[in-house]
Amino acid sequence: MKVIAFNGSPAGKASATYQIIRAFLSGAARAGAETETCHLIDHPIDQCRGCFACWFQTPGQCVRKDAMAPLLAAYQSAHVVCFGSPVYSWNMTGLLKNFVDRLIPLKSPKITQQAGDFDMADARPRQQRYVAIANSGFPGENNFSVIQAAFSCCAPCLELYRNCGKLLVSQQPSVQEIVSQYLTVVEQAGYELVAEGTVSQTTQQQLSMPLMSVEDYVHFLGM
């Protein structure tokens, strides 16, 4: 099994998002999966221009000749795809959104309908499962509403939404201790998804563990 993560944070390896991704993939690797991370900031790709040549002229291939072709191949080679992003203006970053837009060659010009919902048919049967990973620098859960709705389009089998995300890259020993406990649970989630095909209810509940009270976190931010 191969598990790949696409990190949409402009901070790349230094991002809080990557702390979550790295822990999750560590658990997946421990269960025997091949893992890979693509930091999208390191792979400049152009925007989709909506020409639909990838449907009608060169099926499955984009006319833009940039870094997207190897990313698309990596995406297609995976059994589990993780989309990771910090919350920017309540949504995913432009980096990740641009990457998602460029996945259009995987669709075909055939409309599907299910229970009144319309979509474009996949160009070939899709066997992948998806994991949504996001962190917000604010406390609370309301900041995830929009990005959660966006991720719902791929029906993720696991969603990891982490508030108080600034703590994930803190160098304070007391903060690192609680963050380490959280990331251990994230690693367990990665292990269970690969080894068992699902994440236990106990582990999913622990993924929502508070890292710090709202009052203390606001003080931590200096706000």
Side-chain angles (χ1 to χ4, degrees):
M1 175 182 291
K2 181 175 181 179
V3 183
I4 191 168
F6 294 94
N7 179 12
S9 173
K13 292 182 179 179
S15 66
T17 302
Y18 182 51
Q19 298 303 310
I20 304 173
I21 289 173
R22 183 167 59 179
F24 183 82
L25 293 185
S26 177
R30 183 161 56 90
E34 175 189 354
T35 64
E36 180 181 353
T37 302
C38 290
H39 299 285
L40 295 177
I41 192 65
D42 298 330
H43 303 271
I45 58 175
D46 296 323
Q47 293 183 337
C48 175
R49 66 186 190 186
C51 66
F52 300 113
C54 62
W55 287 359
F56 300 106
Q57 298 174 21
T58 55
Q61 295 184 352
C62 181
V63 295
R64 292 192 179 275
K65 305 304 179 184
D66 56 14
M68 187 61 193
L71 290 180
L72 191 61
Y75 176 96
Q76 291 179 291
S77 71
H79 301 89
V80 177
V81 174
C82 306
F83 294 115
S85 176
V87 175
Y88 275 26
S89 299
W90 301 281
N91 209 331
M92 68 183 75
T93 62
L95 277 172
L96 184 58
K97 180 60 169 63
N98 191 39
F99 171 74
V100 171
D101 288 346
R102 291 292 302 278
L103 296 176
I104 193 66
L106 301 181
K107 291 290 187 177
S108 68
K110 298 177 181 179
I111 295 177
T112 64
Q113 186 270 137
Q114 183 175 4
D117 295 328
F118 294 86
D119 195 2
M120 304 308 295
D122 295 322
R124 66 182 188 183
R126 184 174 56 181
Q127 305 297 326
Q128 293 161 320
R129 304 176 73 195
Y130 299 92
V131 174
I133 298 174
N135 81 92
S136 171
F138 287 91
E141 300 300 323
N142 62 297
N143 291 287
F144 296 109
S145 298
V146 174
I147 197 170
Q148 186 174 16
F151 282 144
S152 70
C153 297
C154 66
C157 61
L158 178 65
E159 297 173 274
L160 303 176
Y161 299 125
R162 179 70 270 168
N163 58 21
C164 301
K166 293 292 185 181
L167 298 175
L168 297 174
V169 291
S170 172
Q171 299 301 310
Q172 295 183 18
S174 59
V175 173
Q176 289 182 329
E177 182 177 352
I178 185 64
V179 167
S180 177
Q181 294 176 22
Y182 166 70
L183 293 179
T184 296
V185 178
V186 174
E187 181 178 340
Q188 179 63 22
Y191 176 85
E192 290 179 7
L193 186 64
V194 171
E196 307 294 337
T198 187
V199 177
S200 68
Q201 185 175 1
T202 298
T203 298
Q204 292 203 45
Q205 290 174 343
Q206 291 175 338
L207 289 169
S208 300
M209 64 185 293
L211 301 183
M212 186 178 283
S213 70
V214 173
E215 293 76 15
D216 287 345
Y217 185 62
V218 171
H219 179 72
F220 170 85
L221 294 176
M223 299 176 71

